[in-house]
Amino acid sequence: MPEPTSEVRVAGLVPAELLAELADLTVSVEPPETILHGSLPDQSAVVGLISRIHGLGLRLIEVRRLPPGQAAEPRG
């Protein structure tokens, strides 16, 4: 059974230092947002990512868990 994936939306661009830490996630930029998409193994990983985003002064827009096998969809 495929793992569920998470989608994290952040306002603006995510700094390269954070992107380097998130090599396992897919990153796409849909101005004015950056979308991080991929498997976060547990709730601790989700909270850690949110804390890191907050620590860099970025504005978190949304975190959502997608059902297994569902790809992220652009929002308009």
Side-chain angles (χ1 to χ4, degrees):
M1 180 160 86
E3 283 188 14
T5 56
S6 296
E7 180 181 276
V8 179
R9 291 178 175 261
V10 179
L13 297 176
V14 173
E17 67 182 89
L18 179 58
L19 293 178
E21 296 172 22
L22 304 174
D24 293 341
L25 298 179
T26 301
V27 178
S28 60
V29 178
E30 295 178 14
E33 301 174 359
T34 298
I35 297 107
L36 308 171
H37 180 259
S39 178
L40 294 170
D42 53 29
Q43 189 170 359
S44 177
V46 174
V47 171
L49 177 57
I50 292 169
S51 294
R52 186 75 173 106
I53 289 169
H54 178 72
L56 289 170
L58 301 172
R59 187 170 65 93
L60 180 66
I61 296 172
E62 178 181 29
V63 177
R64 63 185 184 134
R65 188 174 184 132
L66 303 174
Q70 180 181 340
E73 297 176 10
R75 295 189 179 186

Short mmCIF file of all heavy atoms in Angstrom, two decimals:
data_model
loop_
_atom_site.label_atom_id
_atom_site.label_comp_id
_atom_site.label_asym_id
_atom_site.label_seq_id
_atom_site.Cartn_x
_atom_site.Cartn_y
_atom_site.Cartn_z
N MET A 1 0.85 -1.19 0.00
CA MET A 1 0.00 0.00 0.00
C MET A 1 0.89 1.24 0.00
O MET A 1 1.82 1.35 0.79
CB MET A 1 -0.89 -0.02 1.25
CG MET A 1 -1.79 1.18 1.32
SD MET A 1 -3.22 0.97 2.38
CE MET A 1 -2.57 1.40 3.97
N PRO A 2 0.63 2.21 -0.90
CA PRO A 2 1.45 3.42 -0.96
C PRO A 2 1.31 4.26 0.31
O PRO A 2 0.26 4.27 0.95
CB PRO A 2 0.91 4.18 -2.16
CG PRO A 2 -0.19 3.38 -2.74
CD PRO A 2 -0.41 2.18 -1.89
N GLU A 3 2.40 4.95 0.62
CA GLU A 3 2.38 5.84 1.79
C GLU A 3 1.56 7.09 1.47
O GLU A 3 1.57 7.58 0.35
CB GLU A 3 3.80 6.31 2.13
CG GLU A 3 4.63 5.30 2.83
CD GLU A 3 5.96 5.91 3.30
OE1 GLU A 3 6.10 7.15 3.31
OE2 GLU A 3 6.83 5.13 3.64
N PRO A 4 0.88 7.63 2.49
CA PRO A 4 0.22 8.92 2.27
C PRO A 4 1.28 10.00 2.09
O PRO A 4 2.40 9.89 2.57
CB PRO A 4 -0.59 9.14 3.55
CG PRO A 4 0.00 8.23 4.55
CD PRO A 4 0.67 7.12 3.82
N THR A 5 0.92 11.03 1.37
CA THR A 5 1.85 12.13 1.17
C THR A 5 1.28 13.40 1.79
O THR A 5 0.10 13.51 2.08
CB THR A 5 2.11 12.36 -0.33
OG1 THR A 5 0.87 12.58 -0.98
CG2 THR A 5 2.81 11.19 -0.96
N SER A 6 2.16 14.35 1.99
CA SER A 6 1.77 15.64 2.55
C SER A 6 2.06 16.73 1.54
O SER A 6 2.97 16.62 0.72
CB SER A 6 2.56 15.92 3.83
OG SER A 6 2.25 14.97 4.82
N GLU A 7 1.27 17.78 1.63
CA GLU A 7 1.47 18.97 0.81
C GLU A 7 1.57 20.15 1.76
O GLU A 7 0.70 20.35 2.61
CB GLU A 7 0.30 19.15 -0.15
CG GLU A 7 0.45 20.36 -1.03
CD GLU A 7 -0.74 20.52 -1.94
OE1 GLU A 7 -0.75 19.88 -3.01
OE2 GLU A 7 -1.66 21.27 -1.57
N VAL A 8 2.65 20.90 1.64
CA VAL A 8 2.89 22.06 2.49
C VAL A 8 3.04 23.27 1.58
O VAL A 8 3.88 23.27 0.68
CB VAL A 8 4.17 21.87 3.34
CG1 VAL A 8 4.44 23.09 4.21
CG2 VAL A 8 4.07 20.60 4.19
N ARG A 9 2.22 24.28 1.82
CA ARG A 9 2.27 25.51 1.02
C ARG A 9 2.83 26.65 1.87
O ARG A 9 2.37 26.88 2.99
CB ARG A 9 0.88 25.87 0.50
CG ARG A 9 0.39 24.90 -0.54
CD ARG A 9 -1.01 25.23 -1.03
NE ARG A 9 -1.36 24.32 -2.10
CZ ARG A 9 -1.27 24.60 -3.39
NH1 ARG A 9 -0.89 25.79 -3.78
NH2 ARG A 9 -1.59 23.69 -4.29
N VAL A 10 3.81 27.34 1.30
CA VAL A 10 4.50 28.43 1.98
C VAL A 10 4.43 29.66 1.08
O VAL A 10 4.59 29.56 -0.14
CB VAL A 10 5.98 28.05 2.23
CG1 VAL A 10 6.74 29.17 2.91
CG2 VAL A 10 6.07 26.77 3.05
N ALA A 11 4.20 30.82 1.68
CA ALA A 11 4.18 32.07 0.92
C ALA A 11 5.58 32.39 0.41
O ALA A 11 6.56 32.26 1.15
CB ALA A 11 3.65 33.21 1.78
N GLY A 12 5.67 32.79 -0.83
CA GLY A 12 6.94 33.23 -1.40
C GLY A 12 7.86 32.07 -1.72
O GLY A 12 7.43 30.93 -1.90
N LEU A 13 9.15 32.38 -1.78
CA LEU A 13 10.16 31.38 -2.10
C LEU A 13 10.79 30.84 -0.83
O LEU A 13 11.03 31.58 0.13
CB LEU A 13 11.25 32.00 -2.99
CG LEU A 13 10.78 32.48 -4.36
CD1 LEU A 13 11.93 33.17 -5.09
CD2 LEU A 13 10.24 31.32 -5.19
N VAL A 14 11.10 29.56 -0.84
CA VAL A 14 11.75 28.91 0.29
C VAL A 14 13.26 29.04 0.09
O VAL A 14 13.77 28.75 -1.01
CB VAL A 14 11.33 27.42 0.36
CG1 VAL A 14 12.13 26.68 1.40
CG2 VAL A 14 9.84 27.32 0.64
N PRO A 15 14.00 29.47 1.12
CA PRO A 15 15.46 29.63 0.99
C PRO A 15 16.16 28.31 0.64
O PRO A 15 15.72 27.23 1.04
CB PRO A 15 15.90 30.12 2.36
CG PRO A 15 14.67 30.58 3.05
CD PRO A 15 13.53 29.84 2.44
N ALA A 16 17.27 28.43 -0.07
CA ALA A 16 18.04 27.26 -0.50
C ALA A 16 18.48 26.40 0.67
O ALA A 16 18.55 25.18 0.56
CB ALA A 16 19.25 27.72 -1.32
N GLU A 17 18.78 27.02 1.83
CA GLU A 17 19.22 26.23 2.98
C GLU A 17 18.14 25.25 3.45
O GLU A 17 18.45 24.14 3.87
CB GLU A 17 19.65 27.13 4.14
CG GLU A 17 18.52 27.93 4.77
CD GLU A 17 18.97 28.84 5.89
OE1 GLU A 17 19.33 30.00 5.57
OE2 GLU A 17 18.96 28.41 7.05
N LEU A 18 16.88 25.63 3.38
CA LEU A 18 15.81 24.72 3.75
C LEU A 18 15.58 23.69 2.65
O LEU A 18 15.37 22.51 2.93
CB LEU A 18 14.51 25.48 4.04
CG LEU A 18 13.30 24.61 4.43
CD1 LEU A 18 13.60 23.76 5.66
CD2 LEU A 18 12.08 25.48 4.68
N LEU A 19 15.66 24.09 1.41
CA LEU A 19 15.47 23.16 0.30
C LEU A 19 16.51 22.05 0.35
O LEU A 19 16.21 20.89 0.05
CB LEU A 19 15.54 23.89 -1.04
CG LEU A 19 14.40 24.87 -1.32
CD1 LEU A 19 14.62 25.55 -2.67
CD2 LEU A 19 13.05 24.18 -1.26
N ALA A 20 17.73 22.37 0.75
CA ALA A 20 18.79 21.36 0.86
C ALA A 20 18.44 20.30 1.91
O ALA A 20 18.78 19.14 1.76
CB ALA A 20 20.11 22.03 1.21
N GLU A 21 17.72 20.71 2.95
CA GLU A 21 17.31 19.78 4.00
C GLU A 21 16.13 18.91 3.56
O GLU A 21 15.84 17.90 4.18
CB GLU A 21 16.89 20.55 5.26
CG GLU A 21 18.00 21.34 5.90
CD GLU A 21 17.49 22.22 7.03
OE1 GLU A 21 16.41 21.94 7.58
OE2 GLU A 21 18.18 23.20 7.35
N LEU A 22 15.43 19.31 2.52
CA LEU A 22 14.20 18.66 2.10
C LEU A 22 14.38 17.90 0.78
O LEU A 22 13.48 17.87 -0.05
CB LEU A 22 13.09 19.70 1.95
CG LEU A 22 12.81 20.55 3.18
CD1 LEU A 22 11.80 21.63 2.86
CD2 LEU A 22 12.35 19.67 4.34
N ALA A 23 15.52 17.27 0.62
CA ALA A 23 15.84 16.61 -0.65
C ALA A 23 14.83 15.53 -1.03
O ALA A 23 14.67 15.22 -2.21
CB ALA A 23 17.24 16.02 -0.57
N ASP A 24 14.11 14.97 -0.06
CA ASP A 24 13.16 13.91 -0.35
C ASP A 24 11.79 14.43 -0.81
O ASP A 24 10.93 13.65 -1.20
CB ASP A 24 12.95 13.02 0.88
CG ASP A 24 14.20 12.24 1.23
OD1 ASP A 24 15.08 12.10 0.36
OD2 ASP A 24 14.29 11.76 2.37
N LEU A 25 11.60 15.74 -0.74
CA LEU A 25 10.31 16.32 -1.12
C LEU A 25 10.42 16.95 -2.51
O LEU A 25 11.47 17.44 -2.91
CB LEU A 25 9.89 17.40 -0.12
CG LEU A 25 9.66 16.94 1.32
CD1 LEU A 25 9.27 18.12 2.19
CD2 LEU A 25 8.62 15.84 1.41
N THR A 26 9.31 16.95 -3.21
CA THR A 26 9.23 17.63 -4.50
C THR A 26 8.89 19.09 -4.22
O THR A 26 8.02 19.38 -3.40
CB THR A 26 8.11 17.01 -5.36
OG1 THR A 26 8.41 15.62 -5.55
CG2 THR A 26 8.00 17.69 -6.70
N VAL A 27 9.58 19.98 -4.88
CA VAL A 27 9.35 21.41 -4.68
C VAL A 27 8.87 22.00 -6.00
O VAL A 27 9.46 21.78 -7.05
CB VAL A 27 10.65 22.13 -4.25
CG1 VAL A 27 10.43 23.61 -4.10
CG2 VAL A 27 11.20 21.52 -2.96
N SER A 28 7.77 22.74 -5.92
CA SER A 28 7.32 23.47 -7.11
C SER A 28 6.95 24.88 -6.67
O SER A 28 6.50 25.10 -5.55
CB SER A 28 6.14 22.77 -7.78
OG SER A 28 5.06 22.64 -6.91
N VAL A 29 7.17 25.80 -7.56
CA VAL A 29 6.84 27.20 -7.29
C VAL A 29 5.67 27.57 -8.17
O VAL A 29 5.71 27.43 -9.39
CB VAL A 29 8.04 28.12 -7.57
CG1 VAL A 29 7.67 29.58 -7.33
CG2 VAL A 29 9.24 27.71 -6.70
N GLU A 30 4.58 27.97 -7.52
CA GLU A 30 3.39 28.47 -8.19
C GLU A 30 3.13 29.84 -7.60
O GLU A 30 2.44 29.96 -6.60
CB GLU A 30 2.20 27.53 -7.95
CG GLU A 30 2.37 26.15 -8.56
CD GLU A 30 1.20 25.24 -8.26
OE1 GLU A 30 0.14 25.71 -7.82
OE2 GLU A 30 1.36 24.04 -8.48
N PRO A 31 3.80 30.87 -8.17
CA PRO A 31 3.71 32.19 -7.57
C PRO A 31 2.29 32.54 -7.15
O PRO A 31 1.36 32.26 -7.90
CB PRO A 31 4.21 33.12 -8.68
CG PRO A 31 5.12 32.25 -9.48
CD PRO A 31 4.48 30.89 -9.45
N PRO A 32 2.12 33.06 -6.00
CA PRO A 32 3.13 33.54 -5.05
C PRO A 32 3.49 32.51 -3.97
O PRO A 32 3.87 32.88 -2.86
CB PRO A 32 2.42 34.73 -4.41
CG PRO A 32 0.99 34.29 -4.34
CD PRO A 32 0.77 33.46 -5.57
N GLU A 33 3.40 31.21 -4.25
CA GLU A 33 3.64 30.19 -3.24
C GLU A 33 4.71 29.20 -3.68
O GLU A 33 4.96 29.04 -4.86
CB GLU A 33 2.36 29.37 -2.98
CG GLU A 33 1.20 30.17 -2.51
CD GLU A 33 -0.07 29.33 -2.40
OE1 GLU A 33 -0.05 28.13 -2.71
OE2 GLU A 33 -1.09 29.91 -2.02
N THR A 34 5.30 28.53 -2.68
CA THR A 34 6.14 27.37 -2.92
C THR A 34 5.40 26.19 -2.32
O THR A 34 4.91 26.27 -1.19
CB THR A 34 7.52 27.52 -2.24
OG1 THR A 34 8.19 28.65 -2.81
CG2 THR A 34 8.37 26.28 -2.44
N ILE A 35 5.32 25.10 -3.07
CA ILE A 35 4.62 23.91 -2.61
C ILE A 35 5.64 22.79 -2.40
O ILE A 35 6.42 22.47 -3.31
CB ILE A 35 3.54 23.45 -3.60
CG1 ILE A 35 2.47 24.53 -3.73
CG2 ILE A 35 2.88 22.16 -3.14
CD1 ILE A 35 2.52 25.27 -4.98
N LEU A 36 5.63 22.22 -1.21
CA LEU A 36 6.47 21.08 -0.88
C LEU A 36 5.55 19.87 -0.84
O LEU A 36 4.51 19.89 -0.19
CB LEU A 36 7.14 21.28 0.48
CG LEU A 36 7.88 22.60 0.66
CD1 LEU A 36 8.30 22.78 2.11
CD2 LEU A 36 9.08 22.66 -0.25
N HIS A 37 5.93 18.81 -1.53
CA HIS A 37 5.05 17.66 -1.66
C HIS A 37 5.88 16.38 -1.50
O HIS A 37 6.91 16.24 -2.13
CB HIS A 37 4.39 17.69 -3.05
CG HIS A 37 3.47 16.56 -3.30
ND1 HIS A 37 3.83 15.48 -4.04
CD2 HIS A 37 2.20 16.33 -2.89
CE1 HIS A 37 2.83 14.64 -4.10
NE2 HIS A 37 1.83 15.13 -3.41
N GLY A 38 5.43 15.50 -0.64
CA GLY A 38 6.11 14.23 -0.50
C GLY A 38 5.75 13.54 0.80
O GLY A 38 4.85 13.96 1.53
N SER A 39 6.48 12.48 1.08
CA SER A 39 6.20 11.68 2.26
C SER A 39 6.90 12.26 3.49
O SER A 39 8.11 12.48 3.48
CB SER A 39 6.68 10.25 2.03
OG SER A 39 6.46 9.47 3.17
N LEU A 40 6.13 12.52 4.51
CA LEU A 40 6.67 12.89 5.82
C LEU A 40 6.31 11.71 6.72
O LEU A 40 5.13 11.42 6.90
CB LEU A 40 6.08 14.21 6.32
CG LEU A 40 6.45 15.43 5.48
CD1 LEU A 40 5.62 16.64 5.89
CD2 LEU A 40 7.93 15.74 5.61
N PRO A 41 7.30 11.01 7.26
CA PRO A 41 7.06 9.72 7.88
C PRO A 41 6.09 9.68 9.07
O PRO A 41 5.43 8.69 9.28
CB PRO A 41 8.44 9.23 8.31
CG PRO A 41 9.33 10.41 8.23
CD PRO A 41 8.68 11.39 7.30
N ASP A 42 6.03 10.78 9.81
CA ASP A 42 5.15 10.78 10.98
C ASP A 42 4.83 12.21 11.38
O ASP A 42 5.32 13.16 10.79
CB ASP A 42 5.78 10.01 12.15
CG ASP A 42 7.18 10.50 12.50
OD1 ASP A 42 7.48 11.70 12.29
OD2 ASP A 42 7.98 9.70 12.99
N GLN A 43 3.99 12.33 12.40
CA GLN A 43 3.56 13.66 12.85
C GLN A 43 4.74 14.48 13.35
O GLN A 43 4.78 15.70 13.16
CB GLN A 43 2.51 13.53 13.94
CG GLN A 43 1.87 14.85 14.29
CD GLN A 43 0.67 14.70 15.20
OE1 GLN A 43 0.29 13.60 15.56
NE2 GLN A 43 0.07 15.80 15.56
N SER A 44 5.73 13.83 13.93
CA SER A 44 6.91 14.54 14.40
C SER A 44 7.64 15.23 13.25
O SER A 44 8.13 16.35 13.39
CB SER A 44 7.84 13.56 15.11
OG SER A 44 9.02 14.19 15.52
N ALA A 45 7.71 14.57 12.11
CA ALA A 45 8.36 15.16 10.93
C ALA A 45 7.58 16.38 10.44
O ALA A 45 8.16 17.38 10.04
CB ALA A 45 8.50 14.13 9.83
N VAL A 46 6.26 16.29 10.48
CA VAL A 46 5.41 17.42 10.05
C VAL A 46 5.63 18.61 10.98
O VAL A 46 5.85 19.74 10.53
CB VAL A 46 3.92 17.01 10.02
CG1 VAL A 46 3.04 18.22 9.72
CG2 VAL A 46 3.69 15.91 9.01
N VAL A 47 5.60 18.36 12.28
CA VAL A 47 5.80 19.43 13.26
C VAL A 47 7.20 20.02 13.12
O VAL A 47 7.38 21.24 13.19
CB VAL A 47 5.53 18.92 14.69
CG1 VAL A 47 5.95 19.94 15.73
CG2 VAL A 47 4.07 18.55 14.86
N GLY A 48 8.20 19.18 12.90
CA GLY A 48 9.57 19.66 12.71
C GLY A 48 9.68 20.57 11.51
O GLY A 48 10.35 21.61 11.56
N LEU A 49 9.03 20.20 10.41
CA LEU A 49 9.05 21.04 9.20
C LEU A 49 8.35 22.37 9.45
O LEU A 49 8.86 23.43 9.07
CB LEU A 49 8.41 20.30 8.03
CG LEU A 49 8.31 21.08 6.72
CD1 LEU A 49 9.68 21.57 6.25
CD2 LEU A 49 7.64 20.22 5.65
N ILE A 50 7.21 22.33 10.12
CA ILE A 50 6.49 23.56 10.43
C ILE A 50 7.34 24.47 11.32
O ILE A 50 7.42 25.68 11.10
CB ILE A 50 5.13 23.25 11.09
CG1 ILE A 50 4.20 22.59 10.08
CG2 ILE A 50 4.49 24.52 11.67
CD1 ILE A 50 2.94 22.01 10.68
N SER A 51 8.02 23.90 12.30
CA SER A 51 8.90 24.68 13.18
C SER A 51 10.04 25.31 12.40
O SER A 51 10.41 26.46 12.64
CB SER A 51 9.46 23.80 14.29
OG SER A 51 8.44 23.37 15.14
N ARG A 52 10.60 24.55 11.47
CA ARG A 52 11.72 25.07 10.66
C ARG A 52 11.24 26.22 9.77
O ARG A 52 11.91 27.24 9.64
CB ARG A 52 12.28 23.93 9.80
CG ARG A 52 13.51 24.28 9.04
CD ARG A 52 14.73 24.34 9.95
NE ARG A 52 15.91 24.52 9.14
CZ ARG A 52 16.58 25.66 9.04
NH1 ARG A 52 16.21 26.71 9.74
NH2 ARG A 52 17.63 25.74 8.26
N ILE A 53 10.06 26.07 9.18
CA ILE A 53 9.49 27.14 8.35
C ILE A 53 9.27 28.39 9.18
O ILE A 53 9.63 29.50 8.79
CB ILE A 53 8.17 26.65 7.70
CG1 ILE A 53 8.48 25.62 6.61
CG2 ILE A 53 7.36 27.81 7.14
CD1 ILE A 53 7.28 24.86 6.09
N HIS A 54 8.70 28.21 10.36
CA HIS A 54 8.46 29.34 11.27
C HIS A 54 9.78 29.99 11.69
O HIS A 54 9.89 31.22 11.72
CB HIS A 54 7.69 28.86 12.50
CG HIS A 54 7.44 29.93 13.50
ND1 HIS A 54 6.55 30.96 13.30
CD2 HIS A 54 7.99 30.14 14.72
CE1 HIS A 54 6.57 31.76 14.34
NE2 HIS A 54 7.43 31.28 15.22
N GLY A 55 10.78 29.18 12.01
CA GLY A 55 12.08 29.69 12.43
C GLY A 55 12.78 30.54 11.37
O GLY A 55 13.58 31.42 11.69
N LEU A 56 12.48 30.28 10.11
CA LEU A 56 13.06 31.07 9.02
C LEU A 56 12.23 32.31 8.70
O LEU A 56 12.54 33.06 7.79
CB LEU A 56 13.19 30.20 7.76
CG LEU A 56 14.27 29.12 7.83
CD1 LEU A 56 14.14 28.18 6.65
CD2 LEU A 56 15.65 29.75 7.87
N GLY A 57 11.14 32.50 9.45
CA GLY A 57 10.30 33.68 9.24
C GLY A 57 9.41 33.59 8.03
O GLY A 57 8.91 34.61 7.53
N LEU A 58 9.18 32.37 7.55
CA LEU A 58 8.30 32.18 6.40
C LEU A 58 6.86 32.08 6.86
O LEU A 58 6.58 31.69 7.98
CB LEU A 58 8.70 30.91 5.64
CG LEU A 58 10.13 30.88 5.11
CD1 LEU A 58 10.46 29.52 4.56
CD2 LEU A 58 10.33 31.95 4.04
N ARG A 59 5.93 32.40 5.97
CA ARG A 59 4.52 32.32 6.31
C ARG A 59 3.95 31.02 5.76
O ARG A 59 3.91 30.79 4.55
CB ARG A 59 3.75 33.51 5.73
CG ARG A 59 2.29 33.56 6.20
CD ARG A 59 1.62 34.85 5.82
NE ARG A 59 1.49 35.03 4.40
CZ ARG A 59 0.43 34.67 3.68
NH1 ARG A 59 -0.60 34.12 4.27
NH2 ARG A 59 0.39 34.88 2.39
N LEU A 60 3.50 30.17 6.67
CA LEU A 60 2.88 28.91 6.31
C LEU A 60 1.45 29.17 5.88
O LEU A 60 0.69 29.82 6.59
CB LEU A 60 2.91 27.96 7.51
CG LEU A 60 2.31 26.58 7.31
CD1 LEU A 60 3.13 25.79 6.31
CD2 LEU A 60 2.25 25.86 8.65
N ILE A 61 1.07 28.66 4.72
CA ILE A 61 -0.28 28.86 4.21
C ILE A 61 -1.16 27.66 4.53
O ILE A 61 -2.27 27.81 5.00
CB ILE A 61 -0.26 29.12 2.69
CG1 ILE A 61 0.48 30.42 2.42
CG2 ILE A 61 -1.67 29.15 2.13
CD1 ILE A 61 0.73 30.69 0.97
N GLU A 62 -0.63 26.46 4.27
CA GLU A 62 -1.46 25.27 4.42
C GLU A 62 -0.60 24.02 4.56
O GLU A 62 0.44 23.91 3.94
CB GLU A 62 -2.36 25.12 3.19
CG GLU A 62 -3.24 23.90 3.18
CD GLU A 62 -4.08 23.79 1.92
OE1 GLU A 62 -3.67 24.28 0.85
OE2 GLU A 62 -5.17 23.20 2.02
N VAL A 63 -1.08 23.09 5.37
CA VAL A 63 -0.51 21.75 5.44
C VAL A 63 -1.67 20.79 5.28
O VAL A 63 -2.68 20.92 5.98
CB VAL A 63 0.19 21.48 6.79
CG1 VAL A 63 0.70 20.05 6.85
CG2 VAL A 63 1.31 22.46 7.04
N ARG A 64 -1.56 19.87 4.35
CA ARG A 64 -2.62 18.88 4.23
C ARG A 64 -2.04 17.53 3.86
O ARG A 64 -1.01 17.44 3.19
CB ARG A 64 -3.70 19.30 3.24
CG ARG A 64 -3.26 19.47 1.85
CD ARG A 64 -4.42 20.02 1.00
NE ARG A 64 -3.98 20.07 -0.38
CZ ARG A 64 -4.68 19.64 -1.39
NH1 ARG A 64 -5.89 19.15 -1.20
NH2 ARG A 64 -4.21 19.71 -2.61
N ARG A 65 -2.70 16.51 4.34
CA ARG A 65 -2.30 15.15 4.06
C ARG A 65 -3.17 14.63 2.92
O ARG A 65 -4.39 14.73 2.96
CB ARG A 65 -2.49 14.29 5.31
CG ARG A 65 -1.94 12.93 5.17
CD ARG A 65 -2.05 12.23 6.51
NE ARG A 65 -1.42 10.95 6.39
CZ ARG A 65 -0.55 10.48 7.25
NH1 ARG A 65 -0.23 11.17 8.30
NH2 ARG A 65 -0.01 9.30 7.07
N LEU A 66 -2.52 14.10 1.90
CA LEU A 66 -3.22 13.58 0.74
C LEU A 66 -3.39 12.07 0.90
O LEU A 66 -2.52 11.40 1.44
CB LEU A 66 -2.44 13.88 -0.54
CG LEU A 66 -2.13 15.36 -0.79
CD1 LEU A 66 -1.22 15.50 -2.00
CD2 LEU A 66 -3.40 16.14 -0.98
N PRO A 67 -4.48 11.52 0.41
CA PRO A 67 -4.66 10.07 0.45
C PRO A 67 -3.56 9.37 -0.34
O PRO A 67 -3.02 9.95 -1.29
CB PRO A 67 -6.02 9.86 -0.20
CG PRO A 67 -6.71 11.17 -0.16
CD PRO A 67 -5.63 12.21 -0.17
N PRO A 68 -3.24 8.14 0.01
CA PRO A 68 -2.20 7.40 -0.73
C PRO A 68 -2.50 7.38 -2.22
O PRO A 68 -3.64 7.17 -2.64
CB PRO A 68 -2.29 5.98 -0.14
CG PRO A 68 -2.88 6.16 1.21
CD PRO A 68 -3.82 7.35 1.09
N GLY A 69 -1.48 7.67 -3.00
CA GLY A 69 -1.61 7.63 -4.45
C GLY A 69 -2.16 8.90 -5.09
O GLY A 69 -2.14 9.02 -6.30
N GLN A 70 -2.64 9.85 -4.30
CA GLN A 70 -3.17 11.09 -4.87
C GLN A 70 -2.05 12.08 -5.06
O GLN A 70 -1.30 12.36 -4.15
CB GLN A 70 -4.24 11.71 -3.98
CG GLN A 70 -4.81 13.00 -4.55
CD GLN A 70 -5.85 13.63 -3.66
OE1 GLN A 70 -6.43 12.99 -2.81
NE2 GLN A 70 -6.07 14.91 -3.85
N ALA A 71 -1.94 12.62 -6.25
CA ALA A 71 -0.94 13.63 -6.54
C ALA A 71 -1.46 15.00 -6.14
O ALA A 71 -2.67 15.23 -6.09
CB ALA A 71 -0.59 13.63 -8.02
N ALA A 72 -0.55 15.90 -5.87
CA ALA A 72 -0.92 17.27 -5.55
C ALA A 72 -1.54 17.90 -6.80
O ALA A 72 -1.10 17.64 -7.91
CB ALA A 72 0.29 18.07 -5.10
N GLU A 73 -2.53 18.73 -6.59
CA GLU A 73 -3.18 19.42 -7.70
C GLU A 73 -3.00 20.91 -7.54
O GLU A 73 -3.17 21.44 -6.44
CB GLU A 73 -4.67 19.09 -7.72
CG GLU A 73 -4.97 17.63 -7.95
CD GLU A 73 -6.46 17.33 -7.87
OE1 GLU A 73 -7.25 18.28 -7.82
OE2 GLU A 73 -6.79 16.15 -7.86
N PRO A 74 -2.66 21.61 -8.61
CA PRO A 74 -2.54 23.06 -8.52
C PRO A 74 -3.90 23.66 -8.15
O PRO A 74 -4.93 23.14 -8.53
CB PRO A 74 -2.13 23.48 -9.93
CG PRO A 74 -1.77 22.25 -10.66
CD PRO A 74 -2.37 21.09 -9.92
N ARG A 75 -3.84 24.74 -7.42
CA ARG A 75 -5.08 25.44 -7.05
C ARG A 75 -5.11 26.77 -7.78
O ARG A 75 -4.10 27.41 -7.95
CB ARG A 75 -5.11 25.69 -5.55
CG ARG A 75 -5.19 24.39 -4.82
CD ARG A 75 -5.45 24.64 -3.38
NE ARG A 75 -5.54 23.35 -2.73
CZ ARG A 75 -5.87 23.21 -1.51
NH1 ARG A 75 -6.12 24.24 -0.77
NH2 ARG A 75 -5.94 22.03 -0.96
N GLY A 76 -6.29 27.18 -8.16
CA GLY A 76 -6.38 28.41 -8.91
C GLY A 76 -7.21 29.44 -8.28
O GLY A 76 -7.85 29.46 -7.36
#
